[in-house]
Amino acid sequence: MSARLVPAARDAAGRRPDVPLRITVDGEPVAGVAGQTIAGVLLASGRRTWRSGPSGAPRGVFCGIGACFDCLVTVNGVRDVRACRRRARDGDTVATQSRGEDAR
Amino acid sequence: MSRLVVVVGAGPAGLGAAAGALRAGADVTLVDASEHPGGQYHRMLPGAFAAAHPGRLHHGWRGFERLRDHVLRHPRCDWWPESTVWSLERPGEGAPVVHVLRGEADAAGRERLVLRPDALVLAPGAHDRVLPFPGWELPGVYTAGAAQALAKGERLVVGDPVLIAGSGPFLLPVAASLIEAGATVLEVLEANPAATAARGWGRRPWELAPDAGKAGELAGYALLLARHRVPYRTGRAVIEARGDGRVEEAVTARLRPDWSVVPGTERTVPVDALCVSHGFSPQLELPVAAGCALTRTPGGAFTEVDADQRTTAPGVYAAGEITGIGGAPAARTEGLLAGWIAGGGDPRAREAAALSRRRDRARAFAARLAAAHPIGAAWPGWLREETVVCRCEETTYGSLRRAAGDQASGSARAVKLGTRAGLGPCQARVCGPTVAELLSGRVPGANPHHRPIAQPIRLGELASPPTENTPKPDRKESAR
C-alpha cells in the first residue's frame, strides 16, 4: 500500500465530507481534497517522486515542513515552490522540476 | 506609545512569548510562516477540513486553544499568518529591523513589510535531525516529523507498513499518530541501548514529578504501542534503505552503546515507508542573523540566553527549541518569561520568579532527555564512500573525506566550495550539522547556520519597495 488520506467518514478529528478539487501535474489531471497541500495531493494520488536530484535520482517529500527543499515544484508557472507548504487550489497547474533547472 | 514586541514563530514558545508580552502591557506583532498558530507541536488541520474534534489528535489541546484564543483575540495583538521573516537588519543600537514577506508559501509577489520593534523574541523552533545512511535519499524515506506533520496536519498516512527508527522520545508520538491514522507500524527502533536510556531517565527520579505532564504523555504513547503490539526495540537502528527508485526494504542492525554496528545482527525488513529522526536541529538562521552568540553543547549549537531569556544581541530574546531541545511545556514557559521581560515586565516580579523556576525544572527534564538519547560517536561507521551526505548536491561521504584530507582545502569553506556540500536549495539546513561533525578536527570550522537570506525571496519581491508597518495599537479597539 502507499500513502493515503484517512477516509473522512472514519476520521477521529470529525472532518466534514471531502470537498474535491482537481489539479494538473505535467498536464495530467490529479484529484485532491480541499485543504491538502500539493505534496498531500501528490502523495495521496500514489505519486512518491516528482523532482530529481543533480544525478537524476528521484525525490519527493523528505522533511514535510519546509526545511529540506526536496519537494520543489513549479506552480502556475512559478518555480521552486515547496509542495509541502503550499495549499492546493482547484485548477492549479503543477509542473515537476529537476535540480539541474532549480534556481541557485 | 507603548512598547512593540515582535514575536517570530507561533508555536508553544512564540504563543507563550506573545502572552507574556501582552501581560506586560506591550503591543505584540506575532509572525508565523503558517496559516495557523500552533507550530509543529500543535499543527492545526486546514480550515477546509472543518474538523469537529481537532483536539482528539493532540496532547494538551485545550490548553493550547485557551492560549491561542487569548493571544489572537487580544486587542493589543496583531497576528500575521503566512508571514516569513527573510532578513534581520542590525541597526547601530536597539533591536533588529525585521523584514517580512507576507503571502502564500513561496509565491511570487508577496507583500514586503518592515517592522521596527523595541524588542524581538525569536521562537522559530526546530526540525528533525536525520543522520545519513546508505539509501536515505530514496523516496519513501521520511523524517519522523514529516510523517507526523502529514498525519496531524492533513490526515495523510505516508505509507503502510511503516518502520520508525532513530533516537529520542519523539519517535513515540510519531508512532502514535501513524497508528491512530490507521497505518501498521512494524516496529519502533531506538538506537541507544536500554542502559543509556535508563541512565538518563532513571537518575534522580524525583525530579520527574513536576514534569508528570510530559512523562505522562510519553507513558500514554508507550501504552498505545503495547496495545497495538508494536515492538519498541532499543539498541537497534536502520543502517541502510534499499529499493529501486523508492524504498522497498530497510536493513536494521544491533548497535553498541557508541552506535557502532554489531556485525552479523543485520535484518532486512520490507517496508512501504521508513520514518527516521535522530533528534532535532534548532533553526538558528534568525538568531545568527540577529548577531546572537551560540553555545556549543554535546547536542549541538543553541542560542545563548541568560536567566531572563535575553540573548547576547541587544533587544533580542530567544525561547523554545533554539535555546535547547526541551519540548512544548519548556518552550511555552520560556516564551512566557521571554515575552514578559521583552515587554518591559519586571524580572523580579513574583510571577516572573515562578516562571523561572518552572523553566529551570523543564530544562532539567530536557537535560535528562538529552542524556538518555545521545547520538553515538561511531555512527559514521554505517556510511560508505558513495553514501550521499548532502541531499541537495548529492555530495558523498567519500568526496567529503577526500576534500577534508586534502591539504589545499584548508578550511570548511574551501571544503564546501570544493564539494558543494551545503550549497544547494536547503542551504545546509539538513546536512550542516552532519558535515560540521564529519569535518571537525580535520579542518577549521565554519558556522553552518549562517544564511544572509533566512528564507528564499524572489528577485521581483526584492526589487519592490517594502511597506513600513507602524504599529497602530488602537486599531482593534476602534474596530470593536
Side-chain angles (χ1 to χ4, degrees):
Chain A
M1 280 220 277
S2 57
R4 62 170 185 267
L5 194 62
V6 175
R10 278 195 279 124
D11 193 333
R15 187 166 108 231
R16 72 168 175 198
D18 290 337
V19 177
L21 60 76
R22 193 166 278 272
I23 65 173
T24 63
V25 180
D26 293 335
E28 207 180 303
V30 176
V33 168
Q36 284 182 301
T37 58
I38 287 177
V41 172
L42 294 175
L43 288 170
S45 76
R47 286 165 173 78
R48 232 173 246 257
T49 70
W50 50 83
R51 182 169 163 267
S52 53
S55 67
R59 295 294 173 83
V61 170
F62 179 60
C63 83
I65 61 169
C68 79
F69 293 72
D70 257 10
C71 67
L72 296 179
V73 286
T74 299
V75 181
N76 303 326
V78 178
R79 300 188 55 81
D80 300 335
V81 174
R82 283 168 277 184
C84 70
R85 293 205 46 221
R86 172 63 72 84
R87 217 50 81 183
R89 288 198 192 165
D90 195 39
D92 274 345
T93 307
V94 175
T96 56
Q97 292 184 201
S98 65
R99 173 70 178 97
E101 321 152 358
D102 290 347
R104 300 231 168 186
Chain B
M1 203 166 73
S2 65
R3 218 171 140 73
L4 172 66
V5 176
V6 168
V7 179
V8 181
L15 276 178
L22 289 167
R23 185 156 179 89
D27 292 328
V28 171
T29 301
L30 177 61
V31 179
D32 194 285
S34 305
E35 302 141 293
H36 303 287
Q40 298 307 331
Y41 187 77
H42 282 127
R43 184 178 262 258
M44 288 173 63
L45 289 165
F49 280 10
H53 314 289
R56 289 188 188 163
L57 308 179
H58 292 268
H59 188 84
W61 183 256
R62 237 176 268 161
F64 161 69
E65 276 188 325
R66 264 202 308 277
L67 181 61
R68 176 195 67 189
D69 294 347
H70 164 71
V71 168
L72 265 53
R73 290 173 190 168
H74 199 287
R76 277 185 280 111
C77 179
D78 218 351
W79 158 235
W80 289 18
E82 296 193 290
S83 297
T84 296
V85 175
W86 67 275
S87 172
L88 293 175
E89 185 189 331
R90 278 185 267 171
E93 53 190 57
V97 178
V98 183
H99 292 269
V100 179
L101 283 169
R102 193 167 172 173
E104 230 178 357
D106 296 334
R110 288 166 293 181
E111 190 183 3
R112 258 187 77 187
L113 297 158
V114 176
L115 287 161
R116 295 177 194 277
D118 297 296
L120 174 65
V121 183
L122 297 175
H127 54 82
D128 295 78
R129 174 155 187 216
V130 178
L131 300 174
F133 51 89
W136 74 309
E137 74 281 13
L138 285 172
V141 179
Y142 298 92
T143 69
Q148 171 84 321
L150 287 162
K152 280 193 348 188
E154 54 178 297
R155 311 304 285 138
L156 182 109
V157 186
V158 290
D160 195 356
V162 185
L163 195 155
I164 300 173
S167 182
F170 181 56
L171 302 178
L172 295 172
V174 173
S177 286
L178 286 167
I179 292 169
E180 186 282 327
T184 300
V185 176
L186 297 168
E187 52 185 351
V188 178
L189 305 182
E190 162 63 50
N192 283 294
T196 308
R199 264 203 308 280
W201 285 94
R203 210 177 35 189
R204 297 193 293 274
W206 57 88
E207 278 181 5
L208 277 179
D211 298 290
K214 195 75 196 168
E217 179 189 344
L218 293 172
Y221 299 137
L223 271 175
L224 183 77
L225 255 62
R227 210 162 57 234
H228 287 264
R229 302 188 193 287
V230 176
Y232 179 76
R233 300 186 211 281
T234 52
R236 204 164 181 93
V238 167
I239 57 163
E240 186 180 354
R242 291 179 188 156
D244 183 11
R246 50 160 291 189
V247 67
E248 287 162 346
E249 53 188 37
V251 180
T252 74
R254 200 142 66 77
L255 298 187
R256 300 191 187 93
D258 68 353
W259 291 24
S260 54
V261 174
V262 180
T265 59
E266 291 87 352
R267 264 187 238 155
T268 304
V269 186
V271 295
D272 186 48
L274 173 59
C275 305
V276 189
S277 170
H278 297 99
F280 290 96
S281 291
Q283 312 216 82
L284 293 177
E285 55 266 10
L286 291 179
V288 167
C292 305
L294 304 181
T295 45
R296 316 248 159 221
T297 75
F302 294 97
T303 312
E304 187 181 320
V305 286
D306 69 7
D308 293 335
Q309 301 298 129
R310 224 179 249 114
T311 71
T312 58
V316 183
Y317 299 75
E321 310 300 57
I322 61 166
T323 68
I325 304 305
R332 191 166 45 239
T333 310
E334 287 169 4
L336 283 164
L337 186 60
W340 170 258
I341 310 273
D346 181 358
R348 289 157 306 178
R350 226 177 45 203
E351 55 185 289
L355 282 174
S356 298
R357 280 195 301 276
R358 240 165 70 200
R359 187 260 331 264
D360 293 344
R361 278 201 306 269
R363 278 275 150 234
F365 182 73
R368 293 170 61 119
L369 282 188
H373 302 279
I375 288 179
W379 71 266
W382 65 53
L383 300 180
R384 303 196 191 116
E385 287 287 297
E386 71 278 12
T387 304
V388 167
V389 172
C390 165
R391 300 172 64 88
C392 294
E393 297 292 333
E394 294 176 345
T395 309
T396 61
Y397 180 50
S399 69
L400 264 178
R401 283 215 314 190
R402 280 191 297 279
D406 181 357
Q407 295 295 326
S409 298
S411 70
R413 190 180 134 77
V415 170
K416 269 170 69 174
L417 290 174
T419 64
R420 294 204 53 82
L423 297 180
C426 98
Q427 290 286 291
R429 282 180 178 82
V430 177
C431 74
T434 296
V435 171
E437 194 178 323
L438 292 174
L439 296 182
S440 75
R442 293 166 186 262
V443 289
N447 184 344
H449 309 288
H450 179 65
R451 287 173 203 109
I453 293 180
Q455 282 290 325
I457 176 168
R458 295 179 189 277
L459 283 178
E461 293 168 332
L462 202 53
S464 73
T467 308
E468 285 284 336
N469 201 274
T470 45
K472 297 176 201 122
D474 57 331
R475 188 179 343 175
K476 278 198 189 172
E477 270 154 339
S478 58
R480 278 189 308 177

